[in-house]
């Protein structure tokens, strides 16, 4: 396994994973959309919500601690006042920040309130989630400036998670849910579905938003489009030795020489299983990409197509293990990123670890250690939130 080391250009999969991978590669699905969408079904299912609720109400750990952390956060504040804008302007690294932080954090707050509603059945949380979603759906018309596509992806990843829970579990009514759907269809989906040729975490986050929005809108065409782009980008984001001497590429980027590929991979010329396109940039952005891969795989599983047994799952496993090892303090060899890494992976391991280790039974020593060290996982304040609560050791 690669959890405890690295291997160049030769992949040795566990027997279970290998058989699943070979079967999946032999007959890839042309279309991914289900005959009928499952709701709630964006990253977290009703079964997973029920499991988390039961554990919290029983006072069981780590779920009770994760819930307590969520409820104590600013995102669960019932006095929160949403701050919608007609035009959200986000420059590079959110500079300028005209509504960028407000939008992302309001979207996370809506999701947080939806989770709090489901666990407590306190209608105040459902109504707060609705208030936030209504404020934005009645105001926003566009995103502008250089970071607009990524911003749209980040906020667009959280909105449908909140909306799915409220629409399909809250019986108190949501009069403006149609307007909210129109916002997703007109403001977010046309931007994210186009994808991006920037660093891979951009397109992965944008496809996460596109997939989630497509589930909420029950848009099979957009779901298939987003999933196809995701499969191509995931293969180009995480290297497996079985890919060959250099990583796979996204055709539209025209990375048609080794020199171009090395430059795009932050100057890294030695490719080993589990390395990502942004490992040598920093682990923060790498974590964004890994998280989006796990979220899309989880949504796909809920919708009936399990990608964890395909190359997507293997890339996710290897990326988690490779990055976790160094995040835990393993010395960085001189051939890797010039012997220096910028750490900071973030709270991004729970979903993939639960799916691959707990469901498929794959040993993931380093990922397990990092996941347990980080519990209860919080939020990265962008598009990741409360995943120990929703996915920690969750069989649903």
């Amino acid at each position: 396994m690669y959890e405890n080391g690295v291997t160049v250009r030769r992949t040795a999969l566990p027997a279970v994973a290998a058989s699943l991978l070979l079967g999946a590669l032999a007959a890839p699905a042309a279309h991914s959309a289900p005959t009928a969408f499952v709701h709630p079904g964006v990253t977290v299912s009703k079964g997973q919500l029920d499991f988390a609720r039961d554990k919290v109400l029983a006072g069981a750990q780590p779920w009770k601690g994760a819930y307590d952390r969520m409820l104590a956060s600013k995102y669960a504040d019932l006095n929160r006042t949403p701050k919608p804008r007609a035009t959200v302007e986000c420059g590079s690294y959110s500079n300028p920040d005209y509504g960028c932080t407000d939008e992302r954090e309001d979207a996370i707050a809506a999701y947080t309130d939806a989770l709090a509603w489901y666990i407590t059945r306190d209608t105040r949380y459902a109504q707060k989630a609705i208030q936030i979603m209504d404020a934005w759906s009645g105001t926003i018309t566009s995103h502008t400036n250089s970071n607009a596509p990524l911003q749209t992806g980040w906020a667009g990843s959280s909105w449908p998670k909140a909306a799915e829970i409220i629409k399909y579990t809250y019986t108190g009514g949501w009069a403006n849910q149609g307007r909210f759907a129109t916002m997703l269809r007109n403001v977010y989906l046309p931007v994210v579905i186009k994808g991006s040729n920037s660093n891979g975490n951009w397109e992965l986050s944008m496809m996460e938003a596109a997939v989630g929005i497509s589930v909420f809108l029950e848009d099979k065409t957009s779901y298939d489009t987003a999933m196809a782009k995701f499969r191509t980008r995931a293969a180009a984001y995480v290297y497996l030795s079985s890919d060959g001497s250099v990583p796979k590429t996204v055709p539209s980027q025209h990375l048609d020489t080794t020199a171009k590929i090395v430059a795009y991979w932050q100057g890294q010329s030695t490719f080993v299983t589990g390395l990502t396109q942004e490992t040598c940039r920093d682990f923060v952005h790498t974590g964004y990409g890994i998280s989006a891969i796990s979220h899309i795989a989880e949504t796909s599983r809920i919708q009936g197509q399990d990608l964890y047994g395909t190359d997507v799952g293997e890339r996710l496993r290897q990326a988690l293990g490779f990055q976790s090892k160094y995040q835990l303090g393993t010395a960085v060899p001189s051939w890797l990123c010039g012997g220096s890494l910028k750490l900071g992976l973030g709270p991004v391991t729970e979903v993939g670890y639960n799916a691959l280790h707990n469901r498929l039974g794959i040993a993931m020593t380093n990922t397990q250690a990092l996941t347990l060290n980080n519990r209860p996982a919080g939020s990265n304040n962008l598009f990741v939130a409360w995943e120990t609560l929703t996915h920690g050791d969750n069989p649903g």
Side-chain angles (χ1 to χ4, degrees), residues 353-366:
Y353 172 71
N354 183 57
L356 295 164
H357 176 73
N358 294 328
R359 291 200 198 106
L360 293 184
I362 300 170
M364 299 177 70
T365 307
N366 290 310

Side-chain angles (χ1 to χ4, degrees), residues 25-315:
L25 293 180
H31 298 284
S32 304
T35 302
F37 285 100
V38 176
H39 304 288
V42 178
T43 309
V44 61
S45 67
K46 185 177 186 301
Q48 289 170 315
L49 290 168
D50 287 339
F51 176 87
R53 181 172 191 262
D54 290 345
K55 291 297 186 182
V56 170
L57 295 181
Q61 299 296 352
W63 305 277
K64 180 60 165 61
Y67 170 76
D68 289 343
R69 181 176 184 182
M70 179 186 80
L71 215 62
S73 75
K74 62 183 178 181
Y75 297 114
D77 183 0
L78 287 170
N79 293 314
R80 183 183 189 88
T81 300
K83 299 177 181 178
R85 285 176 179 251
T87 299
V88 173
E89 181 178 356
C90 306
S92 181
Y93 292 94
S94 294
N95 183 23
D97 179 346
Y98 298 138
C100 316
T101 299
D102 291 337
E103 180 189 26
R104 294 193 306 265
E105 295 193 351
D106 276 348
I108 292 173
Y111 176 52
T112 300
D113 288 325
L115 289 173
W117 141 253
Y118 197 89
I119 290 170
T120 64
R121 296 300 196 268
D122 184 336
T123 58
R124 293 178 302 166
Y125 287 109
Q127 291 163 3
K128 176 57 69 171
I130 290 170
Q131 179 198 10
I132 295 169
M133 291 189 286
D134 283 354
W136 280 91
S137 71
T139 305
I140 190 169
T141 59
S142 65
H143 298 84
T144 64
N145 215 319
S146 60
N147 257 36
L150 182 59
Q151 172 73 19
T152 309
W154 280 342
S157 294
S158 296
W159 288 130
K161 290 193 291 188
E164 282 278 300
I165 295 172
I166 295 301
K167 180 176 180 177
Y168 292 99
T169 73
Y170 177 59
T171 58
W174 179 13
N176 291 315
Q177 64 177 264
R179 189 178 74 190
F180 185 83
T182 298
M183 176 191 78
L184 294 181
R185 182 179 295 108
N186 294 343
V187 179
Y188 292 85
L189 187 57
V191 176
V192 295
I193 201 72
K194 294 177 182 177
S196 168
N197 286 323
S198 184
N199 282 300
N201 80 85
W202 278 51
E203 185 159 88
L204 289 167
S205 289
M206 292 167 72
M207 290 310 106
E208 178 185 344
V211 167
I213 290 169
S214 296
V215 170
F216 185 73
L217 297 178
E218 298 198 322
D219 184 337
K220 295 182 180 180
T221 299
S222 293
Y223 187 94
D224 287 345
T225 298
M227 197 62 72
K229 288 187 178 181
F230 163 68
R231 294 294 295 268
T232 299
R233 176 60 70 175
Y237 194 72
V238 182
Y239 177 77
L240 297 178
S241 61
S242 55
D243 293 337
S245 60
V246 295
K248 292 179 178 293
T249 62
V250 174
S252 59
Q253 292 190 265
H254 306 294
L255 301 174
D256 49 10
T257 68
T258 298
K260 289 181 181 179
I261 292 171
V262 168
Y264 185 59
W265 281 62
Q266 320 295 327
Q268 177 70 11
S269 58
T270 300
F271 300 107
V272 298
T273 290
L275 184 78
T276 80
Q277 182 255 314
E278 295 186 275
T279 298
C280 294
R281 180 187 185 188
D282 59 61
F283 274 26
V284 174
H285 289 88
T286 298
Y288 300 165
I290 290 173
S291 182
I293 290 171
S294 70
H295 292 166
I296 296 171
E298 192 72 356
T299 296
S300 179
R301 183 191 67 85
I302 294 167
Q303 297 304 327
Q305 184 180 43
D306 196 336
L307 296 178
Y308 290 115
T310 72
D311 75 298
V312 171
E314 182 61 11
R315 291 179 197 280

